[in-house]
């Protein structure tokens, strides 16, 4: 389930940072599963990586808007 950028823009920066931490933790767990050979859904790694990028993009947009 990929995140929608529209939904992310409605969240506060604190909520986005929490979401980012959660996604990074999931990415770590997926990498660990891949290293041990326990990873079944390899496509999930790509989805999580892109979700992390999406959250970071929205956070940077909000930071840029607040600086202006």
């Amino acid at each position: 389930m990929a995140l929608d950028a529209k939904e992310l823009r409605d969240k506060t920066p604190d909520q986005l940072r929490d979401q980012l931490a959660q996604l990074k933790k999931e990415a770590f767990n997926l990498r660990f599963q891949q290293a041990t050979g326990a990873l079944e859904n390899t496509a999930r790694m790509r989805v999580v990586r892109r979700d992390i990028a999406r959250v970071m993009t929205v956070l940077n947009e909000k930071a840029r808007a607040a600086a202006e």
Side-chain angles (χ1 to χ4, degrees), residues 22-67:
Q22 185 180 12
L23 286 167
K24 285 188 175 186
K25 189 174 185 179
E26 183 178 356
F28 173 81
N29 288 332
L30 289 171
R31 284 195 311 270
F32 196 87
Q33 287 176 18
Q34 185 182 36
T36 58
L39 184 62
E40 293 178 12
N41 184 3
T42 55
R44 182 68 184 147
M45 290 182 73
R46 180 180 184 182
V47 171
V48 170
R49 234 182 15 250
R50 289 182 177 197
D51 284 347
I52 289 172
R54 206 170 281 121
V55 170
M56 290 177 71
T57 299
V58 173
L59 265 173
N60 286 330
E61 286 174 356
K62 287 181 180 285
R64 195 176 322 113

Side-chain angles (χ1 to χ4, degrees), residues 3-34:
L3 297 173
D4 187 17
K6 291 177 188 173
E7 294 173 13
L8 292 177
R9 287 190 178 92
D10 293 337
K11 293 186 176 188
T12 66
D14 285 337
Q15 289 173 321
L16 289 171
R17 281 189 281 273
D18 290 343
Q19 180 94 40
L20 185 60
Q22 185 180 12
L23 286 167
K24 285 188 175 186
K25 189 174 185 179
E26 183 178 356
F28 173 81
N29 288 332
L30 289 171
R31 284 195 311 270
F32 196 87
Q33 287 176 18
Q34 185 182 36

